[in-house]
């Protein structure tokens, strides 16, 4: 099913202009309605969003945030097929500094856009982080609209359990039935953390989108002990679509 509604968080950081450009391009690709959510006391953000709608020829609306930004965006996401957020930047706060709270609460696929790299298109070369979990399984169908333009899709597993490859071949066959050019890669390492291996492979194959499940264990446990979702959100340099 194509994406018909996109919700994008609009902030005042320099990276927001790139995020808006990506949101506009996706809205044009899917003929989708674009909703901008930002601080009501920031007329610059609202003006930038409305100017983007006009210049891009996209239909949409502005919604001023009421209350906590993360809670507001998660609530508004109920009427959106895709949510677009900026990666947290400690040196230049976005106004929504905990994208993980939205990912956990909204029940929608969330595209997190890195702040350190210009990104205006996604989906040509896609890397799917696969570990057989419920969250990863949810992420694959959530990503299908974005995969429709992909020339290559790589399903990538790091250190699969001995004797269990997490059903990676079934996922490859499922995506191939959608007409996608897809391959499986299994990578075993004792030197790299899973998140490092995923990021390294994304760079190596020139992926412009990573797809993965988010928070297969409680978020607090990940923050304290370390975990793939937390690590990717902190350090990713490629847009990442997460599902929980």
């Amino acid at each position: 099913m194509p994406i018909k509604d996109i919700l994008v968080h609009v902030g005042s950081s320099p990276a927001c202009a790139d995020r808006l450009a990506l949101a506009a391009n996706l809205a044009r690709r899917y003929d989708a309605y674009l909703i901008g959510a930002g601080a009501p006391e920031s007329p610059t953000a609202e003006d930038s969003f409305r100017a983007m709608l006009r210049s891009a020829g996209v239909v949409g609306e502005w919604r001023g945030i009421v209350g906590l930004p993360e809670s507001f965006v998660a609530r508004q996401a109920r009427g959106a097929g895709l949510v677009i957020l900026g990666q947290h930047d400690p040196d230049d706060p976005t106004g929504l500094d905990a994208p993980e709270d939205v990912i956990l609460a909204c029940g929608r696929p969330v595209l997190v856009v890195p702040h350190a790299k210009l990104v205006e298109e996604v989906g040509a070369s896609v890397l799917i982080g696969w570990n057989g979990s419920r969250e990863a399984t949810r992420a694959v169908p959530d990503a299908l609209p974005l995969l429709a333009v992909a020339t290559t899709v790589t399903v990538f597993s790091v250190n699969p359990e001995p004797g269990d490859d997490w059903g990676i071949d079934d996922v490859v066959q499922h995506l191939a039935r959608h007409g996608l050019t897809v391959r499986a890669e299994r990578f075993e390492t004792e030197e790299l953390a899973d998140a490092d291996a995923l990021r390294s492979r994304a760079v190596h194959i020139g992926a412009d989108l990573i797809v993965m499940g988010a928070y297969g264990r409680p978020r607090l446990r990940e923050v304290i002990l370390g975990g793939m979702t937390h690590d990717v959100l902190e350090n990713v340099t490629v847009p990442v679509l997460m599902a929980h």
Side-chain angles (χ1 to χ4, degrees):
M1 183 177 296
I3 297 168
K4 300 311 294 181
D5 337 80
I6 299 173
L7 173 65
V8 59
H9 175 255
V10 185
S12 57
S13 68
C16 184
D18 297 338
R19 188 163 68 252
L20 283 179
L22 173 59
N25 287 339
L26 289 174
R28 281 197 299 265
R29 182 192 299 179
Y30 300 108
D31 191 23
Y33 191 78
L34 185 57
I35 304 163
E41 66 273 13
S42 177
T44 301
E46 181 178 357
D47 290 345
S48 297
F49 177 76
R50 294 191 183 280
M52 179 273 294
L53 290 180
R54 291 191 296 270
S55 63
V58 172
V59 178
E61 67 177 272
W62 173 262
R63 297 180 184 176
I65 290 175
V66 178
L68 293 175
E70 290 80 2
S71 298
F72 181 85
V73 171
R75 290 194 303 272
Q76 300 304 310
R78 290 175 294 197
L82 176 68
V83 179
I84 302 178
L85 307 177
Q87 178 190 28
H88 173 59
D89 182 357
D91 297 322
D92 200 347
T94 65
L96 191 154
D97 297 324
E100 60 271 23
D101 288 352
V102 179
I103 294 167
L104 284 168
C106 73
R108 298 293 191 184
V110 178
L111 182 63
V112 180
V113 183
H115 57 74
K117 183 179 180 181
L118 173 64
V119 179
E120 292 191 357
E121 294 285 357
V122 295
S125 177
V126 182
L127 182 67
I128 298 176
W130 181 254
N131 62 3
S133 67
R134 172 195 175 279
E135 291 76 19
T137 303
R138 168 76 180 270
V140 171
D142 281 351
L144 279 175
L146 294 175
L147 300 184
V149 299
T151 55
T152 61
V153 178
T154 303
V155 185
F156 185 70
S157 289
V158 182
N159 295 327
E161 298 290 341
D164 181 5
D165 65 0
W166 297 325
I168 189 171
D169 292 330
D170 291 335
V171 178
V172 168
Q173 292 171 10
H174 171 69
L175 293 173
R177 292 184 190 109
H178 284 269
L180 298 170
T181 301
V182 57
R183 67 189 180 211
E185 291 188 0
R186 301 164 177 85
F187 181 70
E188 296 187 10
T189 178
E190 296 180 356
E191 300 177 356
L192 292 177
D194 290 0
D196 292 334
L198 185 72
R199 286 195 302 269
S200 176
R201 192 60 184 154
V203 172
H204 183 77
I205 67 174
D208 61 14
L209 177 65
I210 294 172
V211 174
M212 61 180 286
Y215 293 110
R217 58 185 181 181
R219 176 191 165 197
L220 182 60
R221 180 177 174 83
E222 279 216 0
V223 172
I224 294 174
L225 300 179
M228 190 166 183
T229 309
H230 179 71
D231 194 343
V232 169
L233 285 173
E234 287 287 315
N235 301 298
V236 73
T237 57
V238 175
V240 56
L241 185 79
M242 289 189 168
H244 175 75

